Amino acid sequence: MSIPERRVRTLFDEAAIAKRNDELAQEILAARPENLLVVAVLKGSFMFAADLLRALHRVGLSPQVEFVHLSSYRTGTVSTGQVEILRDVQSEVRGRDVLLVDDILESGRTVVFAKDLLMARGARRVLTSVLLEKPGKRAVTIDADFVGFICPDVFVVGYGMDAAHAFRQLPFVGVVDYGSGDPDLFDP
């Protein structure tokens, strides 16, 4: 794939994402988290998590931050169905409120896996925040506590999310224009 030849159509722009992060921070504050630990799921959520953490700071929350690196995609664009821990949380979660931050809730397997893992380790409660939700793709039963946007059933990139390690740097969420060869990309 020749990356420079591809155009990306904006789905959610910078301003909309920034506004929604501020709203999410208010929603999270209203949940009254105690001894909050934010756990960002790498790699896709890194931009969302960073912006959300700054928004949480602006509303008066001071969470600690951790990272877990989970994968069910590897180099493809479709989940393998198996979640693998590539980097584990190192902080103690026992008795704490944990906010699990992920880029997208699609099949739900990754979020359920991470939530179950943190609860098994003794978290008081695990709240979930996702930038994007694709409700029609759920393979397991889970609803995120905090959702940025409902996303059409398209493969998205940007704002931390990638296609074979490309496009993560984009400050917006978009859809790659592969031309007429893949009409489903633009069918929301």
Side-chain angles (χ1 to χ4, degrees):
M1 167 168 42
S2 178
I3 301 302
E5 296 174 14
R6 305 295 180 214
R7 293 177 311 137
V8 179
R9 178 178 58 95
T10 302
L11 198 55
F12 302 106
D13 66 23
E14 282 184 82
I17 293 169
K19 180 178 185 278
R20 189 64 187 123
N21 280 333
D22 287 338
E23 293 166 353
L24 287 171
Q26 289 291 340
E27 293 173 25
I28 293 163
L29 177 66
R32 301 178 188 258
E34 296 177 18
N35 193 15
L36 184 60
L37 174 66
V38 171
V39 176
V41 179
L42 296 176
K43 296 179 185 175
S45 76
F46 81 95
M47 286 178 112
F48 173 48
D51 287 347
L52 184 59
L53 283 161
R54 285 188 281 268
L56 291 173
H57 173 77
R58 288 191 295 272
V59 298
L61 291 175
S62 301
Q64 291 182 335
V65 182
E66 255 290 3
F67 303 93
V68 63
H69 189 176
L70 304 174
S71 179
S72 65
Y73 282 84
R74 289 302 189 187
T75 59
T77 60
V78 178
S79 174
T80 63
Q82 298 292 320
V83 179
E84 186 178 351
I85 300 174
L86 304 178
R87 181 192 189 280
D88 205 346
V89 173
Q90 297 178 5
S91 295
E92 179 64 52
V93 299
R94 185 168 306 285
R96 302 181 77 171
D97 282 349
V98 176
L99 177 64
L100 183 65
V101 177
D102 204 359
D103 55 352
I104 190 163
L105 177 56
E106 193 166 359
S107 73
R109 288 184 190 101
T110 301
V111 174
V112 165
F113 178 88
K115 185 174 183 175
D116 289 351
L117 179 69
L118 295 166
M119 288 301 294
R121 292 178 178 171
R124 187 174 85 94
R125 70 178 167 164
V126 178
L127 300 168
T128 56
S129 181
V130 296
L131 177 65
L132 305 174
E133 179 179 18
K134 291 184 182 178
K137 300 290 251 179
R138 205 78 75 244
V140 295
T141 304
I142 187 164
D143 292 313
D145 298 291
F146 310 101
V147 176
F149 302 96
I150 302 298
C151 184
D153 187 15
V154 293
F155 188 82
V156 293
V157 297
Y159 200 63
M161 296 171 282
D162 73 313
H165 305 292
F167 306 110
R168 286 191 196 277
Q169 79 286 356
L170 299 175
F172 59 88
V173 174
V175 179
V176 179
D177 179 359
Y178 287 100
S180 60
D182 196 352
D184 293 335
L185 284 173
F186 295 102
D187 183 19

